[in-house]
């Protein structure tokens, strides 16, 4: 697999990254052995960047990855970890925390659960509105200087926050949702990242499965699947949104690839500083995603894709309304 540089100061990583959240139940029932096999297959295929969060099933995801990565050369992969989303017994988010003392505490827990002596990228999952970003990034900077963190990232923040954080310590990359159906980053955030030499790790490149080519109305609202809370998967929106996917399928068919491969390739084609994160939970889905790196899109292809999926083509916000204020940009 080809590699890409995460900005001027970040690491060289595989052109696709693996997002591990879905392996810990966010999208319904999971299979631990299949999840571990999927991580192994991703690494064997040349994926090096593995993304998680300490709040994914309250540490379950980090413990899963610790098992999957055991015995692997620590220099053969990069761990990107988000922190700061507080949990509650029984589930749900209990707030956002970015105070320096707790940043260091979160880091200590992650290092222990993952069984490693350093993280490659450490980032707040959201901006704590009660704590200046300079203080949060300053605490991570101390951990960089101590050798526990290699690079500092951000997640779901606006352009002003990116600039303020970057002034404290070079930021390797911003993790934010970016796909054919979530393009708000193009207006201000992408230009800011390029100006400052910061990379972008794009999550949600398949719209949480909505534009994978595999979703159906019948799959909506399955037990344990957080997509049941998403406006884009709501009954009043999903049927319309799937008609957009069928338009995209026509372009994919003309290119001899799947809808998922085309959607991933489109994100990758938006800039060499962009690394799409693939949230594959099984080897089957991983195997489908991997050839996306070989899908070459011509200017005519890019035009056809954006004609099939124009701006604001889908209905519904990308998160429930209660979560939208914490995001760096809207849809």
């Amino acid at each position: 697999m080809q590699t890409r540089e995460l900005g001027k100061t970040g690491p060289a990583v595989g052109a696709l990254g693996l997002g591990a959240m879905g392996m810990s139940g966010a999208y319904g029932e999971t299979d631990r052995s299949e999840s571990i096999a999927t991580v192994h297959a991703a690494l064997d295929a040349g994926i090096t960047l593995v993304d998680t969060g300490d709040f994914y099933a309250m540490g379950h995801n980090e413990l899963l990855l610790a098992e999957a990565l055991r015995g692997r050369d620590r220099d053969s992969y990069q761990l990107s970890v988000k922190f700061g989303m507080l949990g509650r017994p029984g589930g749900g988010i209990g707030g956002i925390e970015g105070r320096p003392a707790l940043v260091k505490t979160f880091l200590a827990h992650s290092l222990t659960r993952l069984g490693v002596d350093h993280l490659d990228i450490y980032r707040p999952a959201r901006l704590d509105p009660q704590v200046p970003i300079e203080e949060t990034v300053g605490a991570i900077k101390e951990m960089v200087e101590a050798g526990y963190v290699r690079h500092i990232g951000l997640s779901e923040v606006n352009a002003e926050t990116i600039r303020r954080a970057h002034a404290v310590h070079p930021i390797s990359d911003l993790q934010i949702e970016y796909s054919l159906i979530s393009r708000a980053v193009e207006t201000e955030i992408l230009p800011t990242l390029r100006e400052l030499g910061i990379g972008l790790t794009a999550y949600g490149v398949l719209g949480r499965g909505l534009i994978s080519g595999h979703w159906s109305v019948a799959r909506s609202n399955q037990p344990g699947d957080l997509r049941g809370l998403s406006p884009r998967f709501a009954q009043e929106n999903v049927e319309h949104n799937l008609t957009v996917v069928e338009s995209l399928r026509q372009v994919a068919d003309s290119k001899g690839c799947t809808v998922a491969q085309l959607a991933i390739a489109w994100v990758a084609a938006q800039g060499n500083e962009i690394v799409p994160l693939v949230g594959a939970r099984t080897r089957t889905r991983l195997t489908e995603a991997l050839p996306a790196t070989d899908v070459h899109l011509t200017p005519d292809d890019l035009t056809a894709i954006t004609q099939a999926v124009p701006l604001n083509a889908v209905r519904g916000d990308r998160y429930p309304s209660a979560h939208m204020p914490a995001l760096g940009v809207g849809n």
Side-chain angles (χ1 to χ4, degrees):
M1 182 178 291
Q2 297 177 350
T3 61
R4 291 189 169 192
E5 300 282 343
L6 279 183
K8 292 180 179 178
T9 64
V13 301
L16 292 180
L18 180 67
M21 182 184 75
M23 296 179 181
S24 292
Y27 298 144
E29 186 176 351
T30 61
D31 182 314
R32 189 177 188 87
S33 61
E34 180 61 25
S35 295
I36 291 172
T38 301
V39 175
H40 291 168
L43 297 174
D44 292 343
I47 287 177
T48 65
L49 182 65
V50 182
D51 181 78
T52 184
D54 65 7
F55 51 91
Y56 290 169
M58 299 314 299
H60 175 280
N61 204 240
E62 290 181 320
L63 293 170
L64 175 71
L65 289 178
E67 184 176 347
L69 296 170
R70 190 171 297 129
R72 294 273 175 167
D73 180 354
R74 183 62 185 88
D75 293 330
S76 68
Y77 62 89
Q78 297 97 9
L79 280 169
S80 167
V81 179
K82 294 182 291 297
F83 69 87
M85 299 283 275
L86 302 180
R88 303 185 277 210
I93 299 299
I96 302 169
E97 183 59 72
R99 285 179 290 169
L102 290 180
V103 170
K104 297 170 186 178
T105 299
F106 294 145
L107 175 59
H109 283 302
S110 286
L111 292 171
T112 300
R113 283 191 292 259
L114 287 162
V116 296
D117 63 2
H118 72 276
L119 301 180
D120 298 280
I121 309 173
Y122 200 46
R123 70 181 85 240
R126 297 289 187 272
L127 178 67
D128 183 343
Q130 305 301 318
V131 180
I133 190 62
E134 290 85 354
E135 293 184 15
T136 302
V137 171
I140 309 175
K141 178 182 178 180
E142 291 180 26
M143 297 297 93
V144 172
E145 293 167 347
Y148 296 115
V149 173
R150 296 288 187 265
H151 305 279
I152 301 178
L154 297 171
S155 177
E156 286 288 355
V157 294
N158 62 26
E160 177 191 359
T161 301
I162 294 168
R163 292 183 185 279
R164 289 169 53 194
H166 193 65
V168 176
H169 186 279
I171 300 300
S172 64
D173 68 304
L174 171 72
Q175 187 175 123
I176 198 164
E177 187 166 356
Y178 188 27
S179 72
L180 273 165
I181 59 173
S182 294
R183 296 175 58 183
V185 299
E186 294 175 345
T187 303
E188 187 175 7
I189 287 179
L190 261 179
T192 299
L193 297 179
R194 287 168 175 156
E195 175 193 339
L196 299 176
I198 299 172
L200 187 152
T201 41
Y203 76 87
V205 293
L206 297 179
R208 297 172 180 78
L210 182 61
I211 58 171
S212 66
H214 302 295
W215 194 261
S216 66
V217 174
R219 289 186 59 188
S220 297
N221 299 316
Q222 295 297 310
D225 192 330
L226 294 178
R227 287 171 290 198
L229 304 175
S230 170
R232 290 179 174 174
F233 290 85
Q235 184 175 2
E236 64 270 22
N237 295 326
V238 69
E239 288 189 16
H240 165 81
N241 293 341
L242 289 177
T243 65
V244 176
V245 178
E246 291 311 305
S247 298
L248 188 61
R249 194 185 304 276
Q250 295 180 27
V251 183
D253 289 345
S254 71
K255 289 291 293 182
C257 64
T258 69
V259 174
Q261 290 163 359
L262 189 68
I264 296 167
W266 181 88
V267 174
Q270 304 311 301
N272 289 330
E273 75 279 28
I274 299 172
V275 175
L277 297 174
V278 177
R281 297 190 293 162
T282 66
R283 285 168 287 180
T284 298
R285 290 290 176 254
L286 176 69
T287 299
E288 179 185 11
L290 290 170
T293 59
D294 296 322
V295 177
H296 174 67
L297 299 179
T298 67
D300 287 344
D301 292 332
L302 293 171
T303 298
I305 291 168
T306 52
Q307 287 176 343
V309 189
L311 280 171
N312 303 315
V314 300
R315 294 175 182 168
D317 289 335
R318 60 189 179 101
Y319 276 93
S321 58
H323 295 186
M324 292 298 289
L327 304 177
V329 293
N331 291 323

